[in-house]
Amino acid sequence: MSDDKNQFGWNFDNTYARLSDVFFERVNPTPARSPVMVMFNEELARSLGLDAAELAKQGQNYFAGNTLFKGSEPIAMAYAGHQFGRINMLGDGRANLLGEHVTPKGERFDIQLKGAGRTRYSRRGDGLAALGPMLREYIISEAMFALGIPTTRSLAVVTTGEQVIRETALPGAVLTRVASSHLRVGTFEFAAGFEQGKNLRELADYTLRRHYPDLVSHPEPYVALLKAVIERQASLIVKWMQVGFVHGVMNTDNMTISGETIDYGPCAFMDRFSLSTVFSSIDVQGRYSYGQQPSIGQWNLARFAETLLPLFSANQEEAIAKAEEALDTYAEHLQRHWATGMRGKLGMVSAGEDDMPLFNRLLELMERNQADYTNTFRALSNGVMLDEALFKDADFLEWHKAWQARKPDLKLMRSRNPAVIPRNHMVEKALSAAVERGDYSVVQRLLEVVQNPFVEPGDGDEFKKAADDEGYQTFCGT
Ligand code: AMP
Ligand code: MG
């Protein structure tokens, strides 16, 4: 099946590695001692035009980085980033971009190994990843994809046969991540800050060609680029919010230019609705809490806009005015996406005058009654009342009447409100079965369920049960 020229169906074309060499370091993955493939996404492999059967059999040495796929030219990418508000030089400290695969349909994807050894950008890190967090990224990114949310995806996880030292010794692993690119706000921060921004235009032109080809011939392509990224991020953040997703580490190096969700370190889905939900152990001030996500999005986009100023105009005042005008569109996009999304969630087939107050009132009552976000919307979609505080609240019953008067389309609602999300307690259970006992059946079952989120899970309520989120903690850079 896989002849030498077109091995496994890969078709690498590595345009990023043709950019000026300030943008990357050429570095090969560090080989692993004894790779075993524990996860392989056959469906994704097929959709990329790859030979899924052969990769399932022979992939482990490649997905560990021990052998390179034909046509791959591994690099680690340079980037900077505002981490909790402070700018740092970062870069791929534990990731290797194998190259860009072009599918038979002509779509281009970055193929990246995460956890395959040190690079120039590793600083004090070991360049490695532990199995638990790589499985977690696999599960949650695939769940996000199934929920219709733009995201990087996960093609494979291999264990390395080596230990990674964190607080304790943990089994090491490498995740293969697939992304429409790994260009980030932080890549632009790097380009703008490096040697007086002499490579900034090169990066911006590359980005336009790669992600926004229609804007290449725009009279103001760089302003148009900023506006396009603002639109995609507004849309993305609303999508997160509407499934109760808390990203958890919205540093500028974790905000893509493509509009895909990236970096599944400390993220989690909330159970009980609360604007102040935070899971990340280091986010003590709630900078990246559920309800802060729209304004942090704006803050990050302002950092992106700043990097582009020299390309807007030689006159700084004029450049700033253009940036501000673009940034002003963010709130409108956010509101529009929010309203459209919420109408879908509440089954409203047309827009009404008092939609906004109606949405807001429901959320207020949910917060007051500590209602489970997912289960509440799903119950409304199924036309059932739950035996829970919210559904006994007189104010809710009044709200319910007003909502019913809008004649909601329940079928539409069931296609917008998931029955299942990757609940924290289910994710933890699956990870410990895999990591502690080498039993992947729990991960597989969870994946099956979260990959079909709009279908009621067959075997009962375990997947729908809200565990107490109180005290659930997640961790960065694990
Ligand atoms: P993250 O928290 O995943 O967004 O990572 C922030 C920065 O830390 C990036 O530059 C990563 O490459 C780097 N990093 C995270 N973990 C490691 C590690 N184990 N070894 C080297 N660099 C790392
Ligand atoms: Mg990151």
Side-chain angles (χ1 to χ4, degrees), residues 338-405:
W338 181 261
T340 314
M342 263 299 164
R343 272 187 204 106
K345 285 181 81 68
L346 289 174
M348 296 173 180
V349 283
S350 60
E353 287 267 298
D354 52 357
D355 285 352
M356 271 304 175
L358 200 68
F359 306 153
N360 293 339
R361 181 67 172 151
L362 174 62
L363 295 177
E364 192 185 312
L365 294 169
M366 282 168 66
E367 185 149 21
R368 185 165 93 192
N369 287 285
Q370 307 203 341
D372 182 82
Y373 187 77
T374 304
N375 290 348
T376 300
F377 279 104
R378 190 66 184 186
L380 294 173
S381 315
N382 287 333
V384 301
M385 302 294 253
L386 299 176
D387 183 23
E388 281 173 15
L390 173 70
F391 292 79
K392 293 166 193 159
D393 183 328
D395 291 334
F396 172 78
L397 297 173
E398 196 180 307
W399 176 89
H400 197 265
K401 234 188 248 161
W403 170 61
Q404 285 287 307

Side-chain angles (χ1 to χ4, degrees), residues 201-454:
R201 186 179 300 268
E202 180 188 2
L203 180 67
D205 289 339
Y206 176 82
T207 304
L208 280 163
R209 284 196 305 276
R210 183 146 176 196
H211 288 296
Y212 302 93
D214 297 348
L215 302 181
V216 168
S217 53
H218 191 283
E220 293 195 299
Y222 309 114
V223 178
L225 170 64
L226 172 60
K227 287 185 174 164
V229 173
I230 288 172
E231 224 268 282
R232 286 200 194 172
Q233 284 296 334
S235 161
L236 178 68
I237 292 170
V238 166
K239 287 196 163 102
W240 291 352
M241 304 279 288
Q242 296 200 331
V243 294
F245 179 76
V246 185
H247 181 284
V249 63
M250 290 173 71
N251 294 330
T252 53
D253 54 304
N254 294 331
M255 180 182 256
T256 59
I257 301 301
S258 65
E260 288 179 345
T261 311
I262 195 170
D263 199 315
Y264 286 91
C267 68
F269 285 77
M270 70 178 168
D271 290 345
R272 283 180 288 110
F273 177 71
S274 167
L275 287 172
S276 58
T277 305
V278 176
F279 296 107
S280 171
S281 62
I282 60 171
D283 191 3
V284 283
Q285 301 190 345
R287 178 180 170 94
Y288 302 137
S289 69
Y290 172 80
Q292 283 298 316
Q293 297 183 114
S295 56
I296 279 297
Q298 169 127 37
W299 191 90
N300 289 349
L301 290 163
R303 302 290 79 73
F304 180 46
E306 281 166 7
T307 69
L308 296 174
L309 289 177
L311 302 181
F312 291 173
S313 168
N315 174 326
Q316 207 189 356
E317 246 171 71
E318 207 176 285
I320 291 174
K322 285 177 199 286
E324 281 176 348
E325 190 223 303
L327 287 166
D328 281 346
T329 64
Y330 178 70
E332 295 156 34
H333 289 311
L334 212 57
Q335 262 170 32
R336 193 182 69 254
H337 287 296
W338 181 261
T340 314
M342 263 299 164
R343 272 187 204 106
K345 285 181 81 68
L346 289 174
M348 296 173 180
V349 283
S350 60
E353 287 267 298
D354 52 357
D355 285 352
M356 271 304 175
L358 200 68
F359 306 153
N360 293 339
R361 181 67 172 151
L362 174 62
L363 295 177
E364 192 185 312
L365 294 169
M366 282 168 66
E367 185 149 21
R368 185 165 93 192
N369 287 285
Q370 307 203 341
D372 182 82
Y373 187 77
T374 304
N375 290 348
T376 300
F377 279 104
R378 190 66 184 186
L380 294 173
S381 315
N382 287 333
V384 301
M385 302 294 253
L386 299 176
D387 183 23
E388 281 173 15
L390 173 70
F391 292 79
K392 293 166 193 159
D393 183 328
D395 291 334
F396 172 78
L397 297 173
E398 196 180 307
W399 176 89
H400 197 265
K401 234 188 248 161
W403 170 61
Q404 285 287 307
R406 296 291 304 275
K407 304 209 174 359
D409 176 347
L410 299 190
K411 194 157 164 258
L412 169 68
M413 288 176 71
R414 284 192 292 272
S415 74
R416 299 294 167 84
N417 295 304
V420 279
I421 48 159
R423 298 266 181 194
N424 301 324
H425 61 105
M426 296 305 286
V427 173
E428 291 305 317
K429 216 168 106 176
L431 296 186
S432 46
V435 176
E436 285 156 29
R437 303 195 297 281
D439 171 9
Y440 285 82
S441 66
V442 193
V443 171
Q444 290 300 346
R445 176 66 192 135
L446 176 60
L447 262 178
E448 236 172 79
V449 170
V450 297
Q451 282 172 336
N452 296 287
F454 300 102

Side-chain angles (χ1 to χ4, degrees), residues 76-111:
M77 294 166 82
Y79 53 86
H82 275 87
Q83 298 179 297
F84 290 87
R86 293 182 55 168
I87 186 83
N88 289 312
M89 177 59 204
L90 303 169
D92 287 334
R94 59 158 170 181
N96 248 273
L97 180 63
L98 295 182
E100 299 143 37
H101 167 65
V102 181
T103 70
K105 282 192 240 147
E107 300 160 300
R108 180 180 299 269
F109 291 98
D110 274 7
I111 308 297

